[in-house]
Amino acid sequence: MDKIILGNWKSNPSTIQAAIKLAEGVDGVVFRTDHPPIVAVAPPNIFLWAVKEVMEGVALAAQDVFWEDVGAYTGAISWRQLRAMGVTYVIIGHSERRNYFTETDAMCNRKIRAVLHADMAPVLCVGEPMRRGKTERWIKGFVKKQLISSLSGITEMKQQHKLIVAYEPVWAIGNENSDTPEDAVEMILYIKEVLVTLGLSNDILTLYGGSVNSLNIEQFLFHECIGGALVGGASLKLGEFRKIIEKTAQLEKL
Ligand code: PGA
């Protein structure tokens, strides 16, 4: 199955011109790559339209969503608006949303349902806030609880196979300190086990995120259970993102 590389631009860049330039660059890389992986970028909502206009081979993703349809919800972007914009993937429950905007598992659950209902693919982010001083049991218990609460009732939805889960240990985000591939694999296999106990398929796509770059991408994606990567900082540097895309394409040829 094709791996997926999802770039999360967060609140970057600061101008529409810079966003268009980056999107054009990513699209060019995908066109020049032999058998590229699936590539998607999640720009800030305010740039979605402009970015979409210049991309042909890159899918559009959103960084968040509101679960209601249309109406009086100041500041919120609804699933219907994202769908109308042509968004394919929607990141849900990113640790920055949880930390700065007090997003809860219950809110993630509503968002996942809305996104599945709209036939888009939700990318649920889970991961422990810290590892040092914590037992394996505590870490797995933390992630399990996030999965159980966020995915409640999902097995009743016919679009459940569209769900994607990204394992993002929070301590590994935004620094040079990624998880080890061995530990990431162990957690991702555990996540798959939990998904199966919840009644979901073992084939649900699972990604790794947290300081992924062009030097470590292969070590993660080499493992079959890791279906792709959620890339933050490195997705803003075209040269880095290009290498990530090219190395993933190489891996898929093996
Ligand atoms: P990072 O971000 O690649 O900069 O660590 C990943 C993420 O926040 O999804």
Side-chain angles (χ1 to χ4, degrees), residues 104-174:
T104 63
D105 291 333
M107 289 160 77
C108 291
N109 183 251
R110 296 186 77 171
K111 292 179 178 195
I112 293 169
R113 286 165 182 262
V115 166
L116 284 176
H117 172 77
D119 256 330
M120 297 182 287
V123 182
L124 170 67
C125 300
V126 296
E128 76 281 5
M130 67 209 54
R131 190 170 285 174
R132 192 170 295 158
K134 299 292 178 193
T135 62
E136 184 184 330
R137 191 162 161 218
W138 184 89
I139 293 166
K140 288 186 170 166
F142 187 94
V143 170
K144 182 177 183 181
K145 188 179 157 295
Q146 284 184 321
L147 290 167
I148 292 175
S149 320
S150 311
L151 297 176
S152 152
I154 301 303
T155 48
E156 285 143 41
M157 301 187 69
K158 68 174 192 306
Q159 305 91 337
Q160 57 181 276
H161 60 278
K162 293 202 163 199
L163 173 71
I164 299 173
V165 177
Y167 171 58
E168 294 212 303
V170 181
W171 51 269
I173 293 178

Side-chain angles (χ1 to χ4, degrees), residues 11-77:
S11 298
N12 300 286
S14 45
T15 66
I16 194 165
Q17 291 82 0
I20 290 172
K21 194 165 164 222
L22 182 56
E24 282 173 340
V26 176
D27 201 56
V29 169
V30 170
F31 266 96
R32 287 190 297 273
T33 306
D34 237 11
H35 301 294
I38 298 168
V39 179
V41 295
N45 284 330
I46 196 166
F47 302 144
L48 273 174
W49 175 259
V51 161
K52 172 195 153 136
E53 287 293 279
V54 298
M55 298 191 313
E56 274 179 55
V58 179
L60 201 58
Q63 301 175 15
D64 183 36
V65 62
F66 185 52
W67 56 77
E68 292 292 350
D69 185 353
V70 286
Y73 308 103
T74 303
I77 311 286

Side-chain angles (χ1 to χ4, degrees), residues 1-6 26 29-40 57-59 89 217 221 227-229 241-253:
M1 194 151 90
D2 282 348
K3 304 259 187 197
I4 166 166
I5 302 295
L6 171 49
V26 176
V29 169
V30 170
F31 266 96
R32 287 190 297 273
T33 306
D34 237 11
H35 301 294
I38 298 168
V39 179
V58 179
Y89 303 95
I217 184 77
L221 297 198
F241 203 50
R242 173 174 58 78
K243 285 190 210 153
I244 289 174
I245 292 169
E246 289 172 352
K247 287 190 171 180
T248 306
Q250 288 297 329
L251 263 183
E252 294 197 85
K253 281 198 203 138

